[in-house]
Amino acid sequence: MNKKVYIETLGCQMNKSDAERMFGMLEYLDYEKTDDPKSADLLIINTCSIRKLSEDKAYSQIGVWGKWKKTRPDLKIAFSGCVAQQVKENLFKRAPYVDLIIGTQRLYELPELIKRVENGERVCSCEESPYAEKDYKINRVKSVNAWVPIMEGCNNFCSYCIVPYTRGRERSRDFENIMNEVRKALKEGFKEITLLGQNVDSYHGKGVNGEDINLSGLLKAINSLDEYGKFRIRFVTSYPTDITEELIDTVIECDKVCEYFHIPMQSGDDYVLKKMNRRYDVQTYEKICAHICSKVKDVTITSDFIAGFPGETEEQFQNTLYTMKRLELDYSNTAAYSPREKTVAAKWVDKFVPEEEKVERLARLNETNRECCVLSNEKYIGRTMEVLVEKFENHDGINVISGRTRNNKMVHIPCERDLTGEFVDVKIVGSKTWYLKGELL
């Protein structure tokens, strides 16, 4: 009988991609995936440390699992991801019931580590030197979209961000490994490839003849895979000043590359941006967005913003609200500032914004974001757009297909047939805050 593994994944798309790879690796050790943690022989928490709330959730979850182990001593518990990379073997003191701690840069060592755990060892592998990539199967979530990491880590050291400490310095995957993974995903029927990286614009690989290949070159290479039929390509996340003219032109020229840029701004105030150690000011960011909008038809630009950064005044926060409105951003991820160990800003305790004030500012930030989304969506009413259908569901007795346009707008369409994975032409007949309403043509 096969052993069972359950993975609880917290955080970003990169973590979700890591989980798909872990499931694939564990198949080689005769583990099969289960959605019921209580039936599992191996429990893995795949952690995120971008905010304290996510970190606390991880500790809470393994606390529950530790209680289960009292009656099931053979149960194995693994702690992986960004928090693991951060705390390393110190976790054994806090959670003695954990059998394995595996950091972000040791992912492909997992099968060997699990074998040692099965033999009764307690193991911590959180070295900062990346473990060599191996060609294991990827057990992808059933979907139309395949996530393909192309680079990992970050060299920017923004004062609030823990990524350089948990994911390490920037390093790019081998070009041919990426291309082989993309080909496999397309053969399996995926219709959308999303290239992932903490700073995706920094990708630099080597081609088969040793030539340098940047993100634009990689996009062009994937775009040329015409033998796999129709599919789309996306990429996230971009650092504002790393977006090149070549990249913008590539989005325009490549028919499979979607008109979508995710460009985190974080603050709409120059002084706060400087304290955040962001390498641009408000005017520079605005020029980048305006330039992209002037060249790329129907482009969607989304962003990230932080409320309550240490030392942020009410006037500086108002500048962020004003900037968000002026830019007419299509959507923004928002969060209250959360101090992260090792980061520069976490040391500015005397400048911390009171918690209740951060919460109140976040509420206003979310309201401005909502207003921007409403204005953005209303522009598409009456338009005909292509939608890649992602799912088929019943909402209050009405069958509905849902999917995304090329520029990443979610559309809900009444339909009696399951058209998941198909490209359909839709007339946009209405809009809500977070999605468009469409009719099949």
Side-chain angles (χ1 to χ4, degrees):
M1 182 183 296
N2 281 359
K3 298 163 286 187
K4 294 182 179 180
V5 56
Y6 173 84
I7 302 179
E8 179 81 22
T9 296
L10 309 174
C12 66
Q13 292 171 326
M14 188 73 81
N15 272 19
K16 294 173 183 176
S17 175
D18 286 348
E20 292 177 340
R21 288 159 208 278
M22 286 193 279
F23 279 128
M25 289 183 231
L26 290 169
E27 281 192 14
Y28 286 86
L29 301 181
D30 296 324
Y31 281 91
E32 64 180 31
K33 177 181 177 180
T34 179
D35 294 325
D36 177 16
K38 290 187 176 181
S39 70
D41 303 284
L42 170 63
L43 296 168
I44 302 176
I45 183 83
N46 189 15
T47 63
C48 171
S49 62
I50 202 74
R51 287 191 285 275
K52 187 175 186 301
L53 183 64
S54 296
E55 188 173 332
D56 290 343
K57 186 175 180 180
Y59 288 131
S60 175
Q61 185 62 74
I62 61 167
V64 173
W65 294 349
K67 293 177 182 177
W68 295 356
K69 197 166 183 175
K70 291 179 180 179
T71 56
R72 294 179 55 197
D74 292 335
L75 177 65
K76 304 301 181 186
I77 300 174
F79 196 85
S80 71
C82 291
V83 180
Q85 186 70 36
Q86 185 180 354
V87 300
K88 299 180 172 59
E89 63 274 359
N90 292 325
L91 180 67
F92 285 141
K93 299 176 185 177
R94 177 170 183 165
Y97 42 81
V98 169
D99 301 282
L100 170 63
I101 304 166
I102 176 171
T104 56
Q105 300 178 52
R106 311 298 293 181
L107 180 68
Y108 289 94
E109 192 183 9
L110 181 66
E112 297 169 34
L113 298 176
I114 291 297
K115 289 178 183 177
R116 291 171 61 185
V117 166
E118 289 179 335
N119 287 330
E121 287 188 60
R122 296 177 76 208
V123 185
C124 176
S125 181
C126 294
E127 292 86 346
E128 293 186 5
S129 56
Y131 195 84
E133 179 177 339
K134 296 184 179 180
D135 187 23
Y136 286 109
K137 175 185 175 184
I138 301 172
N139 192 341
R140 297 190 186 277
V141 173
K142 188 176 180 182
S143 171
V144 301
N145 179 55
W147 295 316
V148 179
I150 65 169
M151 61 83 61
E152 188 172 359
C154 184
N155 296 343
N156 290 318
F157 286 90
C158 300
S159 63
Y160 55 84
C161 185
I162 199 169
V163 167
Y165 306 98
T166 56
R167 289 283 178 175
R169 306 301 180 268
E170 290 176 356
R171 56 197 183 278
S172 297
R173 287 183 69 197
D174 180 78
F175 171 75
E176 276 304 308
N177 287 351
I178 295 170
M179 292 301 294
N180 288 336
E181 183 175 333
V182 169
R183 292 186 187 100
K184 287 179 182 178
L186 294 172
K187 282 181 182 178
E188 292 170 10
F190 289 90
K191 299 294 185 181
E192 190 168 282
I193 303 296
T194 299
L195 307 181
L196 298 177
Q198 276 81 29
N199 187 12
V200 73
D201 310 277
S202 295
Y203 176 78
H204 283 95
K206 294 288 184 182
V208 290
N209 298 316
E211 70 275 21
D212 290 331
I213 296 180
N214 59 11
L215 177 58
S216 295
L218 178 59
L219 289 169
K220 290 173 183 176
I222 298 172
N223 193 78
S224 69
L225 299 175
D226 295 326
E227 64 270 29
Y228 297 100
K230 186 171 183 176
F231 66 93
R232 293 175 176 175
I233 310 167
R234 301 188 189 277
F235 57 91
V236 289
T237 294
S238 294
Y239 191 89
T241 52
D242 290 344
I243 298 172
T244 64
E245 197 69 24
E246 181 188 17
L247 179 59
I248 298 170
D249 289 339
T250 299
V251 173
I252 297 169
E253 294 163 8
C254 292
D255 63 303
K256 298 179 181 68
V257 179
C258 293
E259 297 79 13
Y260 172 66
F261 288 80
H262 183 65
I263 316 173
M265 188 180 195
Q266 306 300 1
S267 173
D269 180 83
D270 284 343
Y271 180 79
V272 175
L273 286 172
K274 186 175 182 179
K275 297 301 288 184
M276 287 179 166
N277 197 33
R278 302 291 282 182
R279 302 192 314 270
Y280 54 85
D281 56 18
V282 171
Q283 185 180 40
T284 301
Y285 184 94
E286 290 181 344
K287 285 181 177 178
I288 292 167
C289 292
H291 183 60
I292 292 172
C293 290
S294 71
K295 294 192 67 173
V296 185
K297 183 182 178 182
D298 288 335
V299 68
T300 288
I301 297 178
T302 58
S303 192
D304 295 346
F305 287 92
I306 295 171
F309 183 77
E312 180 188 66
T313 66
E314 174 60 25
E315 181 181 0
Q316 290 164 345
F317 177 69
Q318 289 283 351
N319 287 341
T320 292
L321 299 181
Y322 175 69
T323 301
M324 184 188 280
K325 291 178 182 178
R326 189 171 66 249
L327 286 169
E328 298 183 350
L329 294 166
D330 295 279
Y331 174 80
S332 296
N333 298 314
T334 62
Y337 170 75
S338 179
R340 300 284 72 210
E341 186 182 354
K342 295 184 180 180
T343 63
V344 172
K347 300 173 185 176
W348 301 337
V349 179
D350 59 323
K351 297 181 179 179
F352 281 4
V353 176
E355 193 66 30
E356 61 274 15
E357 195 167 338
K358 282 197 298 184
V359 170
E360 190 273 336
R361 285 183 187 176
L362 179 59
R364 283 189 282 157
L365 191 64
N366 287 335
E367 177 57 24
T368 301
N369 183 36
R370 188 194 69 78
E371 293 169 4
C372 290
C373 291
V374 168
L375 291 173
S376 172
N377 286 344
E378 286 176 347
K379 294 186 295 187
Y380 292 94
I381 296 175
R383 295 274 304 275
T384 296
M385 307 186 79
E386 179 191 82
V387 172
L388 171 57
V389 180
E390 298 179 0
K391 56 186 176 182
F392 175 67
E393 295 178 315
N394 186 281
H395 289 286
D396 299 324
I398 300 173
N399 288 327
V400 175
I401 54 173
S402 301
R404 296 181 188 275
T405 62
R406 285 178 59 96
N407 62 353
N408 210 36
K409 292 288 186 181
M410 176 59 71
V411 186
H412 297 322
I413 310 133
C415 183
E416 294 301 320
R417 293 177 295 148
D418 184 354
L419 301 178
T420 299
E422 295 188 27
F423 295 90
V424 297
D425 289 328
V426 173
K427 182 176 181 180
I428 305 303
V429 296
S431 68
K432 293 289 187 180
T433 303
W434 312 118
Y435 65 90
L436 302 173
K437 299 195 293 186
E439 291 180 353
L440 279 177
L441 294 178

